[in-house]
Amino acid sequence: MFGRTGRRRRMVVASCAAALLAAAAGTAHAVDNLPPKQPLVQDLQTQSKACATGDDTPYVPQSPRLSAMLYDPEEDNQPSEFSPLSGEFEAWWTDAAGVQQRRTYTTGTLSSGTRFYWTMPTDIPADTVVSWHVRANDGKATSAWSDEGNGSACSFVYDDVNPGKATIGSPEYPSPDTVFWVDGVGVYGHFTMDSPSDDVVSYTYDFLGGPSGTVSAERPGAAVTIPYLPLTSGPKSLTVHAIDRSGRSSGASSYDFNVKAGRAPVARWKLDDPAGSRSASAEVGTEARAGTGVTFGGTPPAGTGAAATVSLDGSGHGFLTPDAPATDISRTFAVSAWVRPAETGRNMTVASQDADGKPGFSLGLRSQDPGPVWSFAIGGARVSGGAPETGEWAHLLGLYDAETGRARLYVNGHEVGTAAEAKPAATAGAFQIGRARGTTGYRDRWHGDIGDVQVHDRVVVPGEAAELGQRKPKLLGHWSLENAADGMSPEQSDGAPLRLGTGASIYRGSDNSCIPEIDPDCTYVPPALVGDGHLRLDGETGYAAADGPVVDTGDSFTIGVVVRLADSEPAHRMTVLSQAGEHTDAFKVRYEPSTHSWQLVMPEKDEVGAPERVVSRITGADGGEGQGHRLAVVYDDGTDTIKLYLDGYTNDEATAPLPNGWHSTGALQIGRSKAGDGWGEYLHGDVDEVQAYSGALRDKDVIGLGWTTNPCLCGSR
């Protein structure tokens, strides 16, 4: 009885709970539908432009597409439930007769959280403020309009007229009708663009050959002026379009002008006066008197065209000065020189100009951790970079650009360091070579050699800096490998020949007298790689070698070769070029079959197992077919880099730093490299057109290697 009563009581309780849950569920479904959320102003756009009104009203070039993000309250939604909405747009304006016009549009049904669109009709009037708002409709209720309460209406103006063409003018670079040729490269011009339309807000510009861009006006209708720095001489052209606030563009305006070459230095001391001189003559500017610590008649850097240099002993008597300023350093200027330090363990000055107890600028060398650097200091700013080496020539150029307010430093024709903001003071002190002004006298005196000091009163552009810092490579040898006599293949200009070892032979190509299509009895002979013949190596003992080193691996050098591998899948590494030191190769170029690439390997020291710099270019093995590949090695001691070129081109993977090259004593080898106490990595294939230069060829010159002697370089031996 007790048990039955307990069960009945539990059944009653369960029934009551179920009834309560059912009642609660019924109540939830009976709650009234909540209206959609009021659209927010930040979710509205006019043709992708933010909703705005008043002075910020956007202008559009055609009838725009309006859009809004619309939402239904989350309380209306069950998980994964589709919440349908439509958008109701309304736009209005006052027409020319003063009558208000309205347009409405209701979108199709989309899900909550979607962007809804209305493309306006094409009868929207131009130059008229059109306002609009939007609300959401879920089929049962609508939200508040977007401009109710704290909201606001959106506006736009339809602009149907393109702006007028811009006029262009420049005081520095007038049109050829006024002055045909104008000075010049490295001198800024300022070009003013002005449209007759009062709603123009920006201009696009495009100088022939660059630069190009867009510049904004300070206010609608205002003229705009931009600077332009000519980097090259010749005819130039500027094309301009005016852009109004709706984004409409005017027709193109063109402006032609002609730029002369960069003007000469305002001061230059070549420092090539005869030995025993006591002053340095000035090609331009004032003669510079020399202290007794200056010795004239020094050896110039090779490949520069300089006849001589001066040596400064680092003492208080080692200086030169014209006792007058060289230029106004508060304006744009550049100062440059060839320099060779005799030491690098202390601060030393190449050139400076006196100020009040300090140098107005200084160009030179600074000793610091972790090592010395080249330096250009002016107006509280300093730019540093490069790695000075005792006894090594370098070209320095310091530049202050008053237009940009930045100081820059170039070493051996390449910009180094980071351009720095500078504010130089106007000074009228004397120009100094080899020392810098201090509070108690001169300091940081130069110990070493200096040549060809130049001062410009303009920007020396990057191309000119590269030319000033270029040491013209000298052809050391060119072996065409077209013939051999007594085991020797001659050098083209009667220089030292290459000696052919066992397993090496000269292959002679066809003289084109045999044409199988005409004479079936003749045998076709494939042509040589380049010219009439090439070197053929058997991969076992074949090689060719010079009697000694051809390039100085401790200084900048370039060496090129044409090579074709006989195997499509070489079984081992094969070297095409090498030059050895006492313990290891100073460099070698080899094919690495495991990575299908040509590699340039340069050890950092003449030691067995020394760390190596390795760069590579990927290419498949030839298999004895085709024209082969043109390889070139370029070591630039000025920039401390090595590069491997394949068919005239290189890339980042084929470039690596090499701070200190070392001088090798071994002979140049073709087709093999050092292996312990003997030789190895013999090449199986064909070799042609070996060319070697002292100095680093530029990219544009490397392209010519392998076809013939580079005509712009071969005149200097």
Side-chain angles (χ1 to χ4, degrees):
M1 182 69 177
F2 177 81
R4 290 196 297 272
T5 302
R7 287 195 297 272
R8 184 182 300 115
R9 183 175 294 141
R10 287 195 295 272
M11 290 174 61
V12 170
V13 171
S15 298
C16 291
L20 287 173
L21 287 172
T27 300
H29 286 293
V31 171
D32 292 338
N33 174 69
L34 297 176
K37 292 183 178 181
Q38 178 183 8
L40 300 177
V41 171
Q42 60 262 36
D43 290 336
L44 312 183
Q45 292 182 345
T46 302
Q47 197 70 32
S48 75
K49 297 181 179 181
C51 173
T53 190
D55 293 340
D56 297 324
T57 296
Y59 284 68
V60 294
Q62 68 270 330
S63 297
R65 185 168 73 158
L66 313 180
S67 70
M69 294 288 293
L70 303 181
Y71 298 92
D72 206 28
E74 295 180 0
E75 292 86 344
D76 270 3
N77 305 327
Q78 298 297 321
S80 303
E81 181 180 358
F82 174 71
S83 182
L85 291 174
S86 62
E88 297 179 359
F89 288 84
E90 183 177 47
W92 63 94
W93 66 89
T94 301
D95 64 18
V99 178
Q100 188 177 81
Q101 302 291 329
R102 286 185 177 268
R103 298 285 187 276
T104 60
Y105 174 76
T106 300
T107 71
T109 300
L110 297 172
S111 177
S112 171
T114 303
R115 185 166 288 276
F116 293 71
Y117 295 94
W118 176 26
T119 300
M120 296 287 291
T122 57
D123 65 348
I124 298 300
D127 299 322
T128 301
V129 177
V130 178
S131 301
W132 66 276
H133 59 192
V134 64
R135 66 183 179 183
N137 187 330
D138 66 2
K140 296 180 181 179
T142 58
S143 70
W145 288 102
S146 56
D147 56 346
E148 292 185 50
N150 294 327
S152 66
C154 304
S155 299
F156 67 86
V157 175
Y158 165 44
D159 182 0
D160 65 345
V161 178
N162 290 339
K165 287 185 177 181
T167 59
I168 308 171
S170 171
E172 297 89 356
Y173 292 98
S175 68
D177 295 338
T178 304
V179 181
F180 195 78
W181 288 100
V182 184
D183 191 22
V185 170
V187 176
Y188 278 96
H190 299 83
F191 292 79
T192 298
M193 302 166 285
D194 193 9
S195 168
S197 302
D198 60 6
D199 61 344
V200 169
V201 296
S202 64
Y203 295 85
T204 63
Y205 62 90
D206 185 4
F207 287 93
L208 181 65
S212 61
T214 301
V215 60
S216 298
E218 289 186 0
R219 62 183 185 283
V224 169
T225 299
I226 59 171
Y228 168 70
L229 181 67
L231 302 180
T232 58
S233 60
K236 306 293 181 183
S237 180
L238 168 62
T239 301
V240 171
H241 292 83
I243 310 297
D244 68 17
R245 52 194 166 189
S246 73
R248 285 183 173 271
S249 173
S250 71
S253 300
S254 294
Y255 184 85
D256 298 324
F257 57 103
N258 297 321
V259 177
K260 294 198 299 186
R263 59 177 177 252
V266 294
R268 184 178 186 182
W269 299 271
K270 289 187 175 181
L271 303 179
D272 57 359
D273 305 84
S277 298
R278 294 285 17 112
S279 64
S281 59
E283 182 178 86
V284 182
T286 305
E287 179 181 83
R289 63 182 176 90
T292 57
V294 177
T295 302
F296 287 84
T299 303
T304 64
T309 58
V310 296
S311 177
L312 281 63
D313 64 5
S315 72
H317 302 288
F319 69 91
L320 299 100
T321 179
D323 294 312
T327 190
D328 180 358
I329 68 169
S330 66
R331 306 177 68 177
T332 297
F333 78 96
V335 57
S336 63
W338 282 100
V339 300
R340 180 168 63 178
E343 57 179 305
T344 58
R346 62 181 180 87
N347 297 341
M348 298 195 297
T349 300
V350 174
S352 68
Q353 189 157 295
D354 294 349
D356 185 15
K358 59 183 179 181
F361 80 86
S362 64
L363 175 69
L365 179 154
R366 288 188 67 80
S367 178
Q368 61 181 39
D369 289 330
V373 292
W374 299 113
S375 171
F376 177 56
I378 181 172
R382 183 180 299 278
V383 186
S384 300
E389 294 182 36
T390 300
E392 181 178 294
W393 283 105
H395 186 267
L396 306 185
L397 187 147
L399 169 67
Y400 170 65
D401 185 339
E403 183 78 25
T404 63
R406 289 180 173 268
R408 299 179 183 274
L409 174 63
Y410 293 81
V411 177
N412 295 316
H414 302 272
E415 186 172 3
V416 299
T418 303
E421 298 285 346
K423 294 182 179 179
T427 62
F431 187 79
Q432 305 289 337
I433 298 174
R435 63 183 183 179
R437 187 73 179 177
T439 55
T440 59
Y442 290 100
R443 55 181 171 79
D444 298 343
R445 301 175 187 277
W446 182 261
H447 183 200
D449 304 318
I450 300 178
D452 197 12
V453 176
Q454 300 187 39
V455 181
H456 288 80
D457 64 346
R458 62 176 178 86
V459 174
V460 174
V461 300
E464 293 175 315
E467 288 296 327
L468 287 172
Q470 170 73 4
R471 297 177 65 178
K472 186 176 181 180
K474 177 183 177 182
L475 181 63
L476 301 173
H478 179 192
W479 296 271
S480 291
L481 299 170
E482 295 186 348
N483 50 68
D486 299 326
M488 308 293 282
S489 185
E491 197 272 336
Q492 272 199 350
S493 300
D494 297 326
L498 293 177
R499 174 173 42 83
L500 274 57
T502 304
S505 60
I506 296 296
Y507 170 84
R508 295 289 295 179
S510 170
D511 60 3
N512 296 321
S513 62
C514 173
I515 304 176
E517 291 81 3
I518 298 176
D519 182 3
D521 294 330
C522 75
T523 302
Y524 173 71
V525 178
L529 281 178
V530 183
D532 296 330
H534 62 241
L535 177 67
R536 175 160 285 178
L537 302 174
D538 65 0
E540 297 178 0
T541 60
Y543 72 95
D547 289 336
V550 171
V551 295
D552 180 358
T553 55
D555 201 352
S556 299
F557 73 89
T558 302
I559 189 163
V561 66
V562 180
V563 59
R564 178 174 60 197
L565 299 177
D567 306 306
S568 57
E569 296 183 7
H572 57 81
R573 292 173 173 171
M574 293 187 290
T575 296
V576 62
L577 294 173
S578 69
Q579 187 168 295
E582 183 179 354
H583 302 289
T584 185
D585 291 305
F587 77 88
K588 62 181 171 183
V589 180
R590 69 187 181 195
Y591 191 78
E592 175 53 73
S594 65
T595 57
H596 308 287
S597 62
W598 285 102
Q599 293 181 338
L600 165 61
V601 182
M602 292 190 73
E604 296 180 8
K605 298 179 180 180
D606 189 8
E607 298 175 359
V608 176
E612 296 176 334
R613 301 289 183 175
V614 181
V615 295
S616 62
R617 293 297 307 271
I618 296 175
T619 187
D622 305 273
E625 299 180 350
Q627 296 301 308
H629 293 286
R630 293 176 293 120
L631 300 175
V633 175
V634 177
Y635 171 50
D636 190 338
D637 195 28
T639 59
D640 292 328
T641 57
I642 58 169
K643 295 182 180 181
L644 176 64
Y645 291 77
L646 175 70
D647 296 328
Y649 298 95
T650 188
N651 56 26
D652 291 342
E653 289 73 26
T655 303
L658 187 67
N660 296 299
W662 48 275
H663 302 279
S664 61
T665 56
L668 176 68
Q669 304 288 328
I670 314 297
R672 66 179 184 177
S673 58
K674 201 171 184 65
D677 294 331
W679 302 97
E681 296 186 1
Y682 283 90
L683 180 80
H684 185 205
D686 303 322
V687 179
D688 209 347
E689 286 295 313
V690 178
Q691 298 182 45
Y693 295 85
S694 64
L697 264 66
R698 296 169 294 185
D699 289 351
K700 64 180 183 180
D701 298 322
V702 171
I703 293 175
L705 289 179
W707 302 114
T708 183
T709 302
N710 196 316
C712 68
L713 298 172
C714 64
S716 177
R717 290 189 61 87

